[in-house]
Amino acid sequence: MQKDGQNQRNHTNKFIVRMGEEMSLISVNNLTFGYDGSYNNIFEDVSFNIDTDWKLGLIGRNGKGKTTFLNLLQGKYEYKGTISKNVEVDYFPFEVTNKNRISIEIVNEIAPNVADWEMIKELNLLHTDIEILYRNFNLLSGGEQIKILLVSLFLKGNNFLLIDEPTNHLDIETRNNLVNYLEKKKGFILVSHDRNFLDRVVNHIIAINNTNIEIGQGNFSSWKENKDRQDNFEIMQNEKLQKEINRLEIASKNSAKWSAKAEKAKSKKYNSETTIDKGYVGHKASKMMKSSKVMEQRTKKAIDEKANLLSNIDRNEDLKIIPLKSNKKALVLVNKLQIKYNKQLIFKPISFEVNNGDRIAIIGKNGIGKSSILKLIIGKEIQYMGEFKKANDLKISYVSQSTEDLKGNLKTFAQDYRIDEGIFKAMLIKMGLSKSDFDTNIQDMSEGQKKKVLIAKSISEQLIFMYGMNL
């Protein structure tokens, strides 16, 4: 995939010299890596340098190798080439082996010898109630768990931090608090698909493109502006070259045709009254043939130049969900609903209904009960008070925020959920997966690819009501 390593290395080194100061670097040289059994390498002969004081945003489409690169920095995989660094790296999110513990025990395990006041200080920076330290980690909301792990990460020490999708499960207010929190930190690589979040946090971008890796100063918007400018130039250049190729091909064919006709005329017998300068005709035929060869060479050069364009331009296709119609007007009816959690009511009574064609978002702070409402709708055992009804002909498609249970290949997955394999894979191609990805086990896919599997499953189903979280 990434074959422009030498050019990228030269570009990066020039950039570092221009900074004019001594830096602590992570240096990647001639990195080549591919998963066993995979048709294509994820990285091929890639070289670049990054400064460990930068706040780097790592961007790229799903499956391009963002999380893989973070794993390579941690030394999890064998690879060709070298990755040299004079700092230790830490990865977020940490894998918590035993979640059935008090949260403060998990913080102490990740960041030993940290005083309680230091934990409190970090949580205050995130505007988070310190009581979550003394609650069972397994019972915290997804957003609260993220806060605990992030605090642990930054309390651990001065290592270079690899932060993978920290905004998952976070409400809007907490995302803003996290922005302010990260502004006070330095030295990390941040993976996120939240463009606004990247704009407010990072000062450098490392972009994994289709054919190369590029590094530049600035936030996501400045990188996107430069990329759009380059893409537009390549599109116009491609159109210009295509017109030139068409013109040259026509001219070359005409020249060759005329030359062949003239050569044939030289050998033709004429009567005594016909006069023809065979020397002139031969000279003209030779000249036209030479002209044809020149145009063929120019055409080949234009085709080669055209082949180097558009390789990093991503094309997106529209996706459409066509739900079935229910016989009932109201799909879901909620009146004065209150969810119970540990025998306590966690929010004031709410009332709403979902009708055919409605698109409804449930918003609120982490831990307020959003997921509990949705779990109630899909039939989970949730304690509640008030009135809750749903249509008896309702078919619900569920897109989980967790991908932990996904496994096996795509064919088996389609069979297990009784969806058409052809339609399912067609949807995945529309979302950017290649046919070579179809041989990859789902558990080995990136998180973004796994989410696409769940979304493609949902689109492939005939449904009346779709339930999704953090799509």
Side-chain angles (χ1 to χ4, degrees), residues 211-269:
T211 60
N212 70 332
I213 292 179
E214 58 182 345
I215 299 176
Q217 188 172 10
N219 59 16
F220 178 87
S221 290
S222 59
W223 170 83
K224 187 68 167 60
E225 183 180 349
N226 290 332
K227 187 175 190 304
D228 287 344
R229 188 182 300 115
Q230 176 66 25
D231 288 351
N232 290 332
F233 168 78
E234 290 192 12
I235 290 170
M236 290 188 292
Q237 190 71 3
N238 182 71
E239 293 174 353
K240 179 181 176 181
L241 285 169
Q242 187 59 57
K243 291 178 181 178
E244 179 71 2
I245 290 168
N246 292 340
R247 184 188 68 80
L248 288 169
E249 286 178 341
I250 292 171
S252 178
K253 288 178 182 178
N254 288 338
S255 295
K257 185 177 180 180
W258 193 96
S259 176
K261 186 177 181 181
E263 284 291 332
K264 185 177 180 180
K266 285 198 306 179
S267 60
K268 188 174 182 180
K269 291 183 179 180

Side-chain angles (χ1 to χ4, degrees), residues 14 28 60 84 95 108 201 210 235 284 331 395 432 438:
K14 289 178 183 177
V28 178
S84 59
E95 183 177 352
N108 284 326
V201 171
N210 295 330
I235 290 170
K284 187 70 173 178
L331 305 180
K395 296 180 181 179
F438 291 172

Side-chain angles (χ1 to χ4, degrees), residues 68-179:
T68 298
F69 176 61
L70 299 187
N71 286 328
L72 289 170
L73 287 180
Q74 298 173 80
K76 288 188 174 182
Y77 305 135
E78 292 184 3
Y79 56 87
K80 294 180 180 179
T82 60
I83 299 176
S84 59
K85 55 186 185 294
N86 55 6
V87 293
E88 295 297 323
V89 296
D90 283 321
Y91 177 78
F92 169 89
F94 289 103
E95 183 177 352
V96 179
T97 53
N98 180 11
K99 296 182 179 181
N100 193 28
R101 290 180 289 165
I102 302 300
S103 298
I104 194 170
E105 294 179 9
I106 293 172
V107 177
N108 284 326
E109 179 183 13
I110 297 170
N113 304 318
V114 170
D116 289 0
W117 68 267
E118 293 178 285
M119 301 181 201
I120 294 171
K121 176 185 175 183
E122 294 295 306
L123 288 172
N124 283 336
L125 289 174
L126 282 170
H127 298 273
T128 301
D129 196 324
I130 63 172
E131 61 89 21
I132 67 171
L133 286 170
Y134 308 102
R135 286 166 52 193
N136 191 303
F137 182 82
N138 204 35
L139 298 179
L140 298 180
S141 69
E144 290 169 332
Q145 289 183 359
I146 283 177
K147 293 174 189 178
I148 288 293
L149 295 180
L150 270 176
V151 164
S152 304
L153 178 71
F154 282 106
L155 284 173
K156 189 175 181 181
N158 295 319
N159 293 353
F160 189 70
L161 308 181
L162 313 176
I163 309 173
D164 201 353
E165 294 288 0
T167 58
N168 287 345
H169 314 300
L170 297 185
D171 57 51
I172 296 173
E173 182 180 346
T174 304
R175 288 188 186 203
N176 290 331
N177 292 336
L178 183 57
V179 166

Side-chain angles (χ1 to χ4, degrees), residues 286-302:
S286 176
K287 186 176 180 181
M288 292 300 289
M289 182 57 71
K290 185 177 180 181
S291 175
S292 175
K293 294 295 183 183
V294 169
M295 281 185 281
E296 285 179 4
Q297 291 175 353
R298 288 175 59 188
T299 302
K300 184 180 183 303
K301 182 179 179 182

Side-chain angles (χ1 to χ4, degrees), residues 24-36:
S24 176
L25 299 177
I26 295 177
S27 182
V28 178
N29 292 292
N30 307 117
L31 172 65
T32 297
F33 173 79
Y35 290 104
D36 290 340

